Amino acid sequence: SERDGFVSVLAYASDGQLYQLFPNTTVRQTRIRAGQTITLPPSSFPIDATGPEGTDEYLVIVSPQPRDFGAARFDTSTGLGTLSRA
């Protein structure tokens, strides 16, 4: 990152769903410092990359304050936020 901040990661997957990968119910906040490299997912929270073949698209946001995605109403019952395209 070019700046210090909090990391949020969203993924639009080939199964047609939008996932909020980070933060999630286990990894509440991930901070990064300018010029620092981080590894996602952290070893404490491995993510199984299964699903239909296709291309997944990722959006990584670094912001000065933690982002609030509450208005999106992600379903967090699996630990990750899921938003169906229905």
Side-chain angles (χ1 to χ4, degrees):
S1 175
E2 294 179 358
R3 61 187 61 128
D4 295 352
F6 293 86
V7 178
S8 299
V9 180
L10 303 175
Y12 179 67
S14 57
D15 65 2
Q17 296 192 81
L18 180 66
Y19 294 93
Q20 180 183 345
L21 301 179
F22 298 100
N24 58 52
T25 59
T26 302
V27 181
R28 300 274 184 204
Q29 293 180 357
T30 302
R31 291 198 61 137
I32 191 168
R33 298 246 177 244
Q36 176 187 17
T37 300
I38 60 173
T39 300
L40 293 174
S43 59
S44 63
F45 191 80
I47 295 176
D48 185 18
T50 60
E53 285 189 31
T55 301
D56 295 342
E57 299 175 35
Y58 296 87
L59 174 63
V60 179
I61 303 166
V62 177
S63 57
Q65 304 298 324
R67 302 297 292 232
D68 180 3
F69 294 99
R73 298 187 181 169
F74 282 97
D75 174 2
T76 58
S77 61
T78 63
L80 302 176
T82 307
L83 187 64
S84 296
R85 198 171 97 175

